[in-house]
Amino acid sequence: AVPPLAFGGATLEEARRRDDSLQDRLAAEMAGVAFEPVALSLDALAPVVELPSGRRRLSGTVPGVCGHLLVTVTPSRLKPKDHLRSWVRVAALTAADPSRRWEAVVVARKPGSADRAATVALRVSLLDPAHAGDVLALLDDLHRRARADVVPVFSHTGEALWRKGLGAARSAWNDRFDGEGNDRWVGLAVGTDFDAVLDMALRPDEDGLAGPGGRLQWWTDRIWGAYERTTGVRLRAEIDAGAGA
C-alpha cells in the first residue's frame, strides 16, 4: 500500500527506481531481441521423448518465449527456484526442438544487496542438446517417486546445502520468509525439525552413499549436481571442512 498524499511520494519514487533498474537490465540482456513474449504450447509440438522408464509425451505451456529466449522479469530477489524452473523449461523446449539453442533469462533483484534497486540476470542453457534427455529422465524419476513417497527435495534448503553445506542449509530451512521449515505442507509431510529431515534414510533403490545430510543430501547432490553439469552454471562454493551442522 502507498501512504496517502505527499507521504507516498518517497514510496512511489523508490518503486519507479526499482522498475527503471529492472527495465534497464532487461534491455541489456535482450541484446536486440524484441521483448514480445508469447506462451509456447508443447502440446502443439507434440514431442515424444525416449526415457529409461519408457516413451513420454511432453505437455504444457512455456511462457515468456521471445525467439530463442525464455524471459522472466520479477520484482522479487533471485531465488533457487528460478534456477530450477529455468532449467526445466529449457530442457523441455530443447527436447521438443533441439535445432534451436534455447536459453532462459531471468531478470530479478539482486539477493543480499542493501540497494533494493540492484538487479541481477540469470542465464541458463544446456551445454549440449543431448542433456535435455538426462534432465527429463531425472524429472520423470522424481515425479514417479513423489507419487508414492515423500521425497526431500526443497529448492531453498537444498540450494543452500549444495552451495555452502549443512550450516547454511539449517539456516535456510528456518528462514522466516522462504524456509521450508515454515511451510505447513512441508510440515505435514516431513515435520519442521531439520534434524529429523537429516535422519531420513535412503530408500533401497537410491544407490550410493547419503553423506552427512542423509537422504536430503543424496537428492540435493543429484539435482543440483545435474544442474551444474548440464548447464555449466557454477553455484557451489568451497565448503569449509570444519563447518558445523
Side-chain angles (χ1 to χ4, degrees):
V2 178
L5 304 176
F7 298 103
T11 300
L12 290 173
E13 180 58 34
E14 175 62 17
R16 281 193 291 266
R17 192 172 74 93
R18 294 188 199 180
D19 182 69
D20 289 345
S21 184
L22 288 169
Q23 292 290 345
D24 290 344
R25 171 70 75 160
L26 174 63
E29 295 298 326
M30 294 300 290
V33 177
F35 182 60
E36 299 175 351
V38 298
L40 185 59
S41 172
L42 291 175
D43 299 271
L45 298 173
V48 176
V49 294
E50 294 286 351
L51 300 178
S53 60
R55 293 166 61 87
R56 295 288 185 269
R57 182 179 298 277
L58 299 181
S59 180
T61 302
V62 178
V65 177
C66 302
H68 70 288
L69 299 178
L70 289 62
V71 183
T72 302
V73 183
T74 173
S76 300
R77 297 186 187 276
L78 187 70
K79 297 180 180 180
K81 64 183 179 182
D82 294 315
H83 288 265
L84 299 179
R85 184 186 295 117
S86 298
W87 185 42
V88 171
R89 289 173 175 172
V90 167
L93 284 177
T94 301
D97 182 3
S99 68
R100 308 187 74 176
R101 188 180 185 276
W102 298 98
E103 184 176 24
V105 178
V106 181
V107 175
R109 290 198 294 130
K110 187 176 182 179
S113 175
D115 182 1
R116 294 187 176 183
T119 60
V120 66
L122 168 69
R123 303 187 75 100
V124 178
S125 60
L126 297 182
L127 294 174
D128 188 317
H131 288 326
D134 300 332
V135 177
L136 295 176
L138 170 56
L139 294 173
D140 182 63
D141 183 49
L142 174 59
H143 177 259
R144 177 182 61 82
R145 292 171 185 270
R147 293 179 65 184
D149 189 14
V150 175
V151 184
V153 173
F154 312 109
S155 63
H156 190 62
T157 300
E159 189 265 358
L161 177 59
W162 174 257
R163 191 191 288 264
K164 293 184 177 179
L166 282 174
R170 184 182 296 277
S171 296
W173 176 264
N174 293 315
D175 183 89
R176 67 186 182 124
F177 295 111
D178 297 313
E180 286 91 359
N182 295 313
D183 186 302
R184 64 171 179 164
W185 300 112
V186 172
L188 286 172
V190 299
T192 60
D193 182 6
F194 187 65
D195 290 315
V197 175
L198 296 181
D199 287 338
M200 295 177 69
L202 291 181
R203 297 294 186 253
D205 61 345
E206 294 172 342
D207 298 329
L209 299 175
R215 197 171 177 224
L216 172 64
Q217 180 88 57
W218 191 89
W219 275 100
T220 293
D221 291 349
R222 188 180 181 195
I223 291 175
W224 289 101
Y227 174 71
E228 287 199 354
R229 185 176 65 256
T230 58
T231 65
V233 176
R234 292 290 174 260
L235 296 172
R236 195 167 199 175
E238 290 297 325
I239 299 174
D240 183 356

